[in-house]
Amino acid sequence: MADLQGKYQKLATEYTKLRSQIPVLKKAVLDEQAKELTFKETIKEKDQAIRKFEQEIDSLVFRNQQLSKRVEVLQLELDDTMSRGKKNKQHKASTDEAISAHQGIPRASVINEELRSKIEENERLHKQVSDADQQNRTLVGDLQSKLEVLEREASQHQQVLNATVQSNKGQIERLQEEKAMLEVKLQNQEQSVKEAKLRAETAEQHLKMVQGELSGKLAVAVKTITDKLPFNDTKLRDLNALNVPTHDRKHQLKAKELMAQAMHLVSELTQGLSNYHTYVEQRSRTYPTDGVNEPLSVTNKKFCDYLHENTSYTKPMELAFRTFCDSLKDDALTTLETASGLQEFAIQFKRYTSYASKLLPYQLISIEEECSVSSCTATLAAKNMELHGSLQKLTSVFSKVDTYVGVIAAQSIKSCNHPRSNQSLFFHHLSISLDNLHTVLKEVCTHYNAKVSLEHQLPTATQKLKTTDECVISALVSLGKCAGKFANFMKTNLDFFSATAGYRTRGSSISTNESAEGPKSNPAVSTFHQRAANYMVSLVRPCPESVPYRVAVDNRRTLLSSTESRDSLAQQVTTFQKKTSKLEQEKEYWMLESQLLQMKYEKEMKKVSDLEKQAGRLQASLTGSIEDNLDKQTVLEHVNDKVQGVAVNTSVLGKLETTSQEASDADTREQLIKNHFTHRINEMTSQLQAADSKAVSFHAECRALHKRLSLAEKSKSNTQEELQIAHKTIAQLRDELQTTMKNYDHQLSMMSEHLASMNEKIIEQKDEIDDLRHKLSIKGPKKGKGK
């Protein structure tokens, strides 16, 4: 298994190295592909330029052909004109010849000039075309050579990538095969574990049967011992160790004081270890990859998961030592033989040491991964390897300290065979181990500080990494200081720990040959002594105050009445809610009625204002004849009568407009409505007052119920605390029962041996008595015959 584990670790390291090389190769291939794409784009651009130049050349050739055709046409025209000039008749007049000559010469000169310019332009275009063709050829040649070089490099990179992929595939296949083999082994181991569990269950059943038989035999033996044999526990050293010894109280007080100092140091050490593991976890999640841009490696992920569990190993260690310190009493002797609480601390310290040993390979692999990062320099790698070695030393020193702590704690076990003279040697070696722990922690701190100073100079170092490294350094410094305090504490108090406690037990433990090492005390003596003292205190304890019977009956009656009143209050609340809903509906109805009446009132007021305006107009227009004035006066009087006949009346519900003829009926109706609503308002106010009084009484009752509820909750919390205390006492009593059962089993075995030896002696004595009686019976008849 160890070879397979080593091979698996080597394969894992090689796999991680190859995994770290794959991103570099991928990046190189991607860079080359990007370069190839850029070159392809440049080639496309050059091809487009070449096509453009070719199109220009084609256009120039076409233009040149047109010009050449034009020149030929002009040459033909010139030849025609020349031939025509020669064929002209000689009898033409001199004036005509002069005129024709004067017209032909300028035309020929113009054609010649045009022909010359076209020829020059054609030559210039031919030169440009040849230059452009030459440049295009050179450019195409350069680009083709570059393309060939790039294609060759791309093929090489592709070959390298394929080779790496093939090699990684082979390694992955090998790892998968090994994984399958390990899974098969794991299944086999699980089957063996299941079989072992079955065997353990059968053994437990058998053990229960044996315990039942032994308990029955113990009861029978105890009964026979109490009935027939006297018992003296001072004759045997093991039984005399259960008696309470006389000891020096000053020695016990000093031991308790030193254990309190050690408790502070242990708590400081556990806190420092927890801080160190927490900060290392944060750093592992930050460096070399932050877990955001690139995922964490499998090793770092497991390492972080294991580091996250540090409190489950450091906290129980502190709690175990704290419980041991709390178990120390001023009136009870404390030695290594009686300090059974140290066993739990040794177990928790051993758990932490195994946890540190489990963390070590992951931490070393993490450091190696940091060395394999591309940004890691040679000096930084050297510092990492120095830290690598110092961490291994730290784990080995912790294992040494764990060894001596376990040996010291094992002195309280009955099966321990170490002589008492070796206890001083154990403490001396523990002091040396603590000194080594202090030196190794200082070495780790210096190496880590040097490593961090180099890492912070790198451009990839973030502020989060720097702060985390500072926290790790501070945790290491605090651990080193705590280890130094521990080493100094052991050095200064080494004489006290090595010296034997001044106590003695009664009986034969100080005189027999078995007691050459001095008196012996059992770890259960202090618990028995404490239980006896608590029992004596409980006998003197006064009776607790109880509630009188009448008060309890009255409280029950009030409680029942409050529950009944609560139901009635709930019913009243529902009825009041129904009434309030009805009142709200009526309120809405009357609000709508008042709004309608308000609208009617506004319309009537508008009519009145219109009639008043008409009357004003008629009075202003009273001009003209008497008859007309009389007619208008009659109309005006009629309008005034109408205006005066309109009466405006207001009430609680709003304003009502009525005519003079209907004023009495409206007043009576309004008065009836007013009386009805005043009566309703009075009823509602009386109901509201009654509801307020009931609400006040309900509030008082609710406050009383709330107080009772708070008292009930307090009593519940007290009972829960008492229940927890009872559970704790039950657990302690079970532990004590187990210890007493073990002691009784041992005593029973001793007493059974003693009983067997006594039975043999009794049988021998009976045989001797029978022989003597037989001799006496023989001698008696001889004496009679002689007479």
Side-chain angles (χ1 to χ4, degrees):
M1 289 295 290
D3 296 334
L4 288 174
Q5 191 70 21
K7 288 180 182 179
Y8 182 73
Q9 292 293 333
K10 288 179 182 179
L11 289 172
T13 53
E14 290 177 0
Y15 179 69
T16 52
K17 287 181 181 178
L18 292 172
R19 283 289 298 275
S20 63
Q21 290 174 3
I22 285 170
V24 178
L25 294 172
K26 284 184 179 179
K27 188 176 180 181
V29 171
L30 291 173
D31 293 336
E32 293 299 330
Q33 288 178 356
K35 288 180 181 179
E36 187 177 355
L37 290 173
T38 54
F39 283 127
K40 284 182 179 179
E41 289 177 358
T42 53
I43 288 167
K44 286 181 182 179
E45 291 176 357
K46 296 298 181 182
D47 288 336
Q48 290 176 0
I50 289 165
R51 292 192 192 96
K52 187 176 179 181
F53 287 137
E54 287 177 352
Q55 289 176 0
E56 289 179 356
I57 290 166
D58 293 336
S59 63
L60 289 172
V61 169
F62 180 71
R63 183 66 176 165
N64 193 5
Q65 289 175 0
Q66 285 181 350
L67 290 173
S68 62
K69 287 179 181 179
R70 179 66 176 165
V71 169
E72 288 176 358
V73 171
L74 292 172
Q75 188 69 34
L76 291 172
E77 288 180 358
L78 181 60
D79 292 337
D80 291 337
T81 54
M82 291 297 289
S83 62
R84 286 176 186 175
K86 289 178 181 181
K87 289 179 180 180
N88 281 333
K89 293 179 179 181
Q90 294 179 358
H91 65 273
K92 284 185 180 181
S94 61
T95 56
D96 294 333
E97 289 177 1
I99 290 167
S100 62
H102 181 73
Q103 290 178 354
I105 289 166
R107 186 175 180 185
S109 64
V110 170
I111 290 168
N112 289 327
E113 287 294 330
E114 186 177 357
L115 182 60
R116 190 180 296 109
S117 63
K118 295 295 181 181
I119 290 166
E120 289 176 356
E121 186 177 358
N122 193 7
E123 288 178 356
R124 183 169 55 78
L125 289 172
H126 273 295
K127 287 181 180 179
Q128 288 180 358
V129 168
S130 63
D131 293 337
D133 193 7
Q134 186 66 29
Q135 289 178 0
N136 188 14
R137 287 176 182 175
T138 55
L139 184 61
V140 168
D142 294 335
L143 292 174
Q144 285 179 352
S145 62
K146 289 181 180 179
L147 182 61
E148 289 176 356
V149 172
L150 291 173
E151 286 179 351
R152 195 180 302 112
E153 290 179 355
S155 64
Q156 291 177 359
H157 286 301
Q158 190 66 32
Q159 290 176 0
V160 172
L161 181 62
N162 292 328
T164 53
V165 168
Q166 291 295 329
S167 62
N168 288 330
K169 281 183 179 178
Q171 289 182 357
I172 289 167
E173 289 176 356
R174 288 198 301 274
L175 290 173
Q176 286 178 352
E177 290 177 357
E178 291 181 357
K179 182 181 177 182
M181 293 171 65
L182 291 173
E183 286 178 352
V184 171
K185 290 183 179 179
L186 181 61
Q187 290 177 358
N188 295 328
Q189 292 293 329
E190 287 178 352
Q191 290 179 358
S192 63
V193 168
K194 289 180 181 179
E195 292 175 357
K197 284 182 179 179
L198 292 172
R199 289 197 298 270
E201 289 177 356
T202 54
E204 285 180 356
Q205 293 177 359
H206 184 67
L207 180 62
K208 288 179 181 178
M209 293 172 63
V210 171
Q211 284 179 352
E213 292 177 358
L214 288 175
S215 60
K217 291 179 180 179
L218 177 63
V220 173
V222 168
K223 187 176 180 181
T224 55
I225 288 167
T226 53
D227 292 340
K228 296 182 179 180
L229 292 175
F231 181 68
N232 187 8
D233 58 352
T234 59
K235 289 183 179 180
L236 299 174
R237 187 166 179 264
D238 293 333
L239 300 178
N240 193 24
L242 295 171
N243 292 320
V244 179
T246 57
H247 61 280
D248 188 4
R249 193 177 181 84
K250 293 181 180 179
H251 186 276
Q252 177 64 22
L253 292 173
K254 187 175 180 182
K256 189 175 180 181
E257 182 182 357
L258 292 177
M259 287 300 105
Q261 295 177 8
M263 178 63 232
H264 290 299
L265 293 174
V266 168
S267 62
E268 188 177 350
L269 179 65
T270 54
Q271 186 65 33
L273 290 171
S274 179
N275 293 334
Y276 170 68
H277 292 311
T278 305
Y279 294 141
V280 169
E281 178 190 358
Q282 293 177 3
R283 188 185 184 281
S284 298
R285 294 185 184 277
T286 306
Y287 187 82
T289 57
D290 57 355
V292 178
N293 297 325
E294 294 182 6
L296 292 173
S297 63
V298 178
T299 306
N300 266 337
K301 196 171 182 181
K302 286 186 178 179
F303 184 45
C304 293
D305 293 338
Y306 288 145
L307 285 171
H308 193 67
E309 302 171 355
N310 64 81
T311 54
S312 62
Y313 293 94
T314 57
K315 200 69 177 175
M317 185 165 58
E318 180 182 359
L319 291 174
F321 200 82
R322 190 181 294 278
T323 53
F324 168 67
C325 291
D326 293 338
S327 64
L328 299 179
K329 305 295 179 182
D330 295 338
D331 55 350
L333 178 66
T334 301
T335 60
L336 288 181
E337 289 82 4
T338 61
S340 59
L342 280 176
Q343 296 176 14
E344 182 64 25
F345 172 71
I347 292 168
Q348 298 299 330
F349 193 79
K350 190 172 186 63
R351 283 184 71 242
Y352 174 75
T353 307
S354 61
Y355 170 68
S357 302
K358 182 173 70 174
L359 288 178
L360 180 62
Y362 292 99
Q363 192 169 8
L364 298 181
I365 292 170
S366 178
I367 292 171
E368 291 173 0
E369 286 182 0
E370 291 179 8
C371 293
S372 63
V373 176
S374 59
S375 60
C376 182
T377 60
T379 55
L380 181 58
K383 295 297 180 183
N384 284 334
M385 296 314 293
E386 289 179 358
L387 181 63
H388 190 284
S390 59
L391 288 173
Q392 291 179 349
K393 290 181 183 177
L394 180 63
T395 307
S396 63
V397 170
F398 263 114
S399 63
K400 286 183 181 178
V401 173
D402 172 51
T403 302
Y404 291 113
V405 168
V407 169
I408 291 170
Q411 300 301 312
S412 60
I413 301 173
K414 190 173 181 180
S415 61
C416 182
N417 296 321
H418 298 132
R420 190 177 295 179
S421 59
N422 291 342
Q423 293 178 3
S424 61
L425 189 62
F426 296 155
F427 282 111
H428 180 67
H429 285 296
L430 179 61
S431 177
I432 294 170
S433 300
L434 290 173
D435 284 332
N436 294 331
L437 179 63
H438 181 217
T439 55
V440 170
L441 280 172
K442 287 197 293 185
E443 183 181 352
V444 170
C445 186
T446 53
H447 289 166
Y448 194 84
N449 197 358
K451 164 187 162 57
V452 165
S453 62
L454 291 174
E455 279 183 358
H456 290 180
Q457 294 175 3
L458 296 175
T460 57
T462 60
Q463 187 63 32
K464 185 178 179 181
L465 178 63
K466 292 179 182 179
T467 54
T468 307
D469 286 335
E470 289 176 359
C471 293
V472 173
I473 290 169
S474 64
L476 285 172
V477 170
S478 64
L479 277 175
K481 289 181 180 178
C482 181
K485 291 178 183 178
F486 237 127
N488 191 15
F489 172 75
M490 286 300 298
K491 283 181 182 178
T492 53
N493 299 304
L494 187 61
D495 295 334
F496 178 78
F497 290 136
S498 301
T500 57
Y503 72 97
R504 58 176 293 176
T505 55
R506 58 192 179 89
S508 61
S509 62
I510 56 174
S511 61
T512 59
N513 294 326
E514 295 179 355
S515 62
E517 296 182 359
K520 184 179 180 181
S521 182
N522 198 291
V525 172
S526 59
T527 56
F528 291 157
H529 181 264
Q530 188 65 32
R531 285 175 63 188
N534 293 332
Y535 179 70
M536 295 301 293
V537 170
S538 65
L539 293 176
V540 188
R541 186 182 300 170
C543 296
E545 296 182 358
S546 62
V547 180
Y549 177 73
R550 291 182 180 178
V551 176
V553 170
D554 293 335
N555 290 333
R556 187 174 182 276
R557 287 175 181 173
T558 54
L559 184 61
L560 293 173
S561 63
S562 64
T563 54
E564 293 175 355
S565 63
R566 184 175 63 185
D567 296 334
S568 63
L569 287 173
Q571 292 178 359
Q572 290 179 5
V573 167
T574 53
T575 55
F576 284 139
Q577 286 178 353
K578 291 178 181 178
K579 287 181 180 180
T580 51
S581 63
K582 289 181 181 179
L583 289 172
E584 289 290 333
Q585 291 175 1
E586 291 179 358
K587 179 183 176 183
E588 292 293 331
Y589 171 73
W590 289 114
M591 287 289 288
L592 292 172
E593 290 290 333
S594 65
Q595 289 177 2
L596 292 171
L597 291 172
Q598 186 73 21
M599 291 170 67
K600 289 179 181 180
Y601 172 70
E602 289 175 356
K603 287 180 181 179
E604 295 295 330
M605 288 299 291
K606 285 181 181 179
K607 290 179 181 179
V608 170
S609 63
D610 293 336
L611 291 171
E612 286 178 353
K613 288 178 183 178
Q614 290 177 6
R617 290 191 198 119
L618 291 171
Q619 286 178 359
S621 63
L622 284 174
T623 57
S625 62
I626 297 171
E627 293 179 356
D628 295 333
N629 288 330
L630 288 172
D631 293 334
K632 290 178 180 179
Q633 188 69 29
T634 55
V635 174
L636 182 61
E637 288 175 358
H638 181 68
V639 171
N640 287 328
D641 291 335
K642 284 184 178 181
V643 172
Q644 290 175 2
V646 176
V648 179
N649 192 6
T650 60
S651 66
V652 179
L653 297 176
K655 294 180 179 180
L656 295 173
E657 297 175 355
T658 60
T659 59
S660 60
Q661 296 176 358
E662 297 175 354
S664 61
D665 296 330
D667 290 333
T668 56
R669 187 166 64 85
E670 187 176 355
Q671 189 65 32
L672 290 171
I673 293 168
K674 184 178 179 181
N675 292 330
H676 173 69
F677 278 104
T678 52
H679 181 66
R680 289 292 302 276
I681 288 166
N682 291 327
E683 287 180 357
M684 292 298 292
T685 52
S686 63
Q687 289 177 1
L688 181 63
Q689 289 176 359
D692 288 334
S693 62
K694 289 180 180 180
V696 170
S697 63
F698 292 159
H699 181 66
E701 288 182 2
C702 289
R703 290 181 64 184
L705 290 172
H706 182 69
K707 287 182 180 179
R708 289 179 182 176
L709 181 63
S710 63
L711 291 171
E713 287 178 353
K714 286 182 181 179
S715 63
K716 181 182 178 182
S717 62
N718 292 327
T719 53
Q720 285 179 354
E721 290 177 356
E722 291 176 357
L723 183 63
Q724 290 178 359
I725 293 167
H727 283 305
K728 289 181 181 178
T729 53
I730 288 166
Q732 291 178 359
L733 290 171
R734 284 177 180 173
D735 295 335
E736 292 174 359
L737 179 62
Q738 290 179 359
T739 55
T740 50
M741 284 180 69
K742 290 180 181 178
N743 292 327
Y744 284 148
D745 289 332
H746 181 69
Q747 291 177 6
L748 182 61
S749 62
M750 296 292 291
M751 291 305 297
S752 60
E753 292 176 359
H754 182 68
L755 184 61
S757 62
M758 292 298 291
N759 287 327
E760 290 176 357
K761 289 180 180 179
I762 289 167
I763 290 167
E764 290 175 357
Q765 289 176 359
K766 284 182 178 180
D767 293 332
E768 290 177 357
I769 290 166
D770 292 331
D771 293 332
L772 291 172
R773 284 178 180 175
H774 183 66
K775 289 178 180 179
L776 287 171
S777 62
I778 293 169
K779 287 180 180 179
K782 288 183 178 179
K783 288 181 179 179
K785 288 179 181 180
K787 290 179 180 179

